[in-house]
């Protein structure tokens, strides 16, 4: 089995694989080839990959060209349609492929009869927890969002008793208590802030309180988590307006607001209109983890994805993208461990003569593969992706 890991394009600092993960893949009997510089953004030297058992793709060759003879390609960001066009029939492509927003890529993968595993579609079940890249990367985002909020905030987070008097702690309001939100809460508490949080999912109240934050209960309809697989459901327009109105006073009174609300495969819900931002205190900060270039905003109407700017009133809006990439060493480590867990579940040792060799088998009856495999044998096998492509 040959596994190829190309270097990520653009300004993505995270590496899709680490030397430790390479060593474990080689121990399974796989041959691993990495593109030079694959770990550069995460401060992982090429030699560390070689020492772990990988081979370096010749500097004069294109990694995606090398992928023609690969059994498995591991990436982080989706390849371009041109890169995907180099893949051979039956190749297994693993990564965060964003198929709902990449119709051209999906069509090329179908044409090339590539088996595509998009990690965003892994089911949220116990057996898949170690493979859950959305959760592992959201942890990093929640942590970094609070640090950015503290950096831009005109106040210190902890209460301080000094000879010059007592300084009250900053107030932090976190919207959304998923993985990113819970990490944001924990980080803000560790820094000494007074923390409030809100989520539409009923099960999050105890989690928020266990971290020492106050859970804001709004008189809106509660979500049945079992019916949504643990994801937040999309609210009706009336429910969203009611929620926005009730949250406004908590946003306005906060020194730092962190928004994390996302809907899988859809635009982030708009929870903080411009009029609410206009009432926030000068020096306050809003960090929008949900900032989406595709939709031109995040949870806040005034968020500019990819930008940090200050309003005339003095409120700083942070739309920084790829927050996990701001901590690339740990983000790469977590992502590589997710990949390793997935491949361990897919690879079996099968007899080939007197020896045994690793073989990756696709079984769409398996609950994990049924969710994550989006293309197989020239067909789109994920219903959500199929509907999205047909409507594109």
């Amino acid at each position: 089995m040959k596994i190829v890991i190309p270097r990520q394009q653009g300004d993505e600092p995270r590496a899709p694989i680490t030397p430790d993960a390479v060593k474990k893949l080689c121990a399974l009997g796989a041959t691993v080839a990495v593109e030079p510089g694959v770990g550069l953004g995460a401060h992982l030297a090429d030699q560390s990959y070689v020492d772990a058992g990988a081979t370096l793709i010749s500097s004069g060759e294109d990694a995606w060209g090398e992928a023609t003879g690969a059994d498995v390609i591991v990436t982080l960001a989706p390849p371009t349609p041109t890169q995907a066009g180099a893949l051979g029939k039956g190749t297994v492509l693993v990564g965060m492929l964003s198929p709902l927003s990449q119709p051209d890529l999906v069509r090329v993968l179908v044409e090339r009869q590539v088996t595509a595993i998009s990690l965003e579609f892994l089911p949220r079940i116990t057996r898949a927890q170690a493979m859950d890249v959305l959760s592992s990367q959201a942890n990093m985002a929640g942590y970094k969002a609070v640090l950015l909020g503290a950096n831009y905030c005109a106040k210190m987070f902890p209460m301080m008793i000094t000879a010059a008097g007592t300084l009250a702690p900053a107030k932090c309001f976190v919207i959304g208590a998923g993985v990113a939100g819970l990490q944001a809460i924990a980080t803000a508490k560790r820094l000494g802030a007074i923390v409030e949080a809100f989520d539409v999912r009923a099960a999050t109240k105890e989690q928020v309180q266990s971290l020492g934050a106050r859970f804001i209960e709004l008189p809106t309809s509660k979500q049945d988590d079992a019916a949504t697989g643990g994801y937040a459901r999309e609210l009706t327009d009336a429910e969203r307006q009611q929620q926005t109105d009730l949250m406004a006073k908590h946003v306005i009174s906060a020194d730092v607001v962190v928004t994390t609300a996302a809907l899988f495969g859809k635009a982030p819900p708009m929870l903080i209109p411009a009029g609410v931002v206009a009432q926030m205190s000068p020096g306050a900060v809003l960090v929008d983890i949900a900032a989406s270039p595709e939709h031109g905003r995040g949870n806040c109407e005034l968020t500019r994805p990819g930008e940090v700017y200050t309003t005339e009133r003095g409120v700083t809006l942070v739309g920084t993208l790829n927050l996990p990439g701001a901590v690339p060493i740990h983000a790469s480590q977590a992502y590589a461990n997710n990949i390793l867990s997935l491949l361990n579940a897919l690879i079996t040792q099968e007899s080939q003569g007197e020896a045994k060799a690793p073989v990756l088998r696709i079984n769409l009856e398996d609950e994990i593969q049924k969710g994550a495999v989006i293309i197989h044998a020239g067909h789109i096998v994920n219903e959500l992706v199929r509907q999205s492509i047909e409507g594109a």
Side-chain angles (χ1 to χ4, degrees), residues 24-329:
K24 292 173 182 177
L25 290 173
C26 291
L28 293 175
T31 298
V32 181
V34 301
E35 185 174 8
V38 68
L40 187 62
H43 307 283
L44 298 169
D46 288 344
Q47 189 59 46
S48 65
Y49 286 95
V50 174
D51 293 342
T55 58
L56 292 180
I57 298 169
S58 301
S59 58
E61 297 180 16
D62 183 287
W64 290 95
E66 178 77 6
T68 302
D71 298 295
V72 181
I73 311 294
V74 175
T75 185
L76 198 152
T80 65
T82 300
Q83 291 170 334
L87 302 181
K89 178 180 178 181
T91 302
V92 177
L93 174 66
V94 182
M96 292 194 290
L97 305 180
S98 303
L100 300 181
S101 60
Q102 302 276 345
D104 291 341
L105 171 62
V106 171
R107 293 186 184 102
V108 171
L109 294 174
V110 170
E111 180 183 344
R112 301 295 296 176
Q113 297 191 45
V114 169
T115 293
I117 301 177
S118 195
L119 301 173
E120 306 98 310
F121 289 82
L122 282 165
R124 290 200 158 173
I125 58 175
T126 301
R127 195 160 61 92
Q129 284 182 340
M131 313 167 192
D132 189 351
V133 297
L134 292 182
S135 291
S136 75
Q137 301 305 297
N139 251 320
M140 313 292 166
Y143 165 80
K144 195 64 181 180
V146 171
L147 295 189
L148 286 174
N151 183 55
Y152 289 111
C153 185
K155 294 182 178 180
M156 294 187 295
F157 269 38
M159 179 180 73
M160 288 197 175
I161 301 175
T162 74
T166 299
L167 304 176
K171 296 179 181 179
C172 181
F173 182 42
V174 179
I175 301 175
V179 175
L182 291 173
Q183 184 57 248
I185 292 166
T187 303
K189 285 296 294 183
R190 285 194 291 265
L191 290 176
I194 295 173
V195 185
E196 295 181 331
F198 169 77
D199 195 290
V200 296
R201 294 169 299 158
T204 60
K205 179 178 179 179
E206 289 185 5
Q207 296 172 317
V208 167
Q209 292 175 331
S210 72
L211 294 172
R214 177 187 173 213
F215 185 78
I216 302 301
E217 295 196 67
L218 304 180
T220 55
S221 58
K222 298 296 188 294
Q223 175 182 297
D224 178 6
D225 295 355
T228 61
Y231 291 97
R233 70 171 175 84
E234 187 172 12
L235 302 180
T236 65
D237 291 341
E239 287 175 327
R240 187 180 299 111
Q241 185 59 53
Q242 182 187 25
Q243 177 182 302
T244 298
D245 293 343
L246 292 168
M247 281 195 305
K249 68 176 183 179
H250 299 282
V251 173
I252 292 167
S253 65
D255 299 301
V256 174
V257 177
V258 177
T259 67
T260 72
L263 294 169
F264 186 71
K266 297 182 179 180
M270 209 287 285
L271 303 175
I272 303 177
V276 173
V277 176
Q279 298 177 68
M280 294 175 69
S281 299
V285 181
L286 191 153
V287 184
D288 200 335
I289 293 180
S292 168
E294 181 183 356
H295 300 99
R297 60 164 178 81
N299 294 140
C300 177
E301 182 180 6
L302 297 182
T303 297
R304 299 174 187 171
E307 294 185 34
V308 178
Y309 75 101
T310 302
T311 67
E312 292 182 2
R313 183 172 170 79
V315 177
T316 300
L317 297 173
V318 182
T320 303
L321 304 175
N322 192 12
L323 290 178
V327 282
I329 293 178

Side-chain angles (χ1 to χ4, degrees), residues 351-356:
S351 298
Q352 293 186 359
E354 296 182 358
K356 287 190 174 183

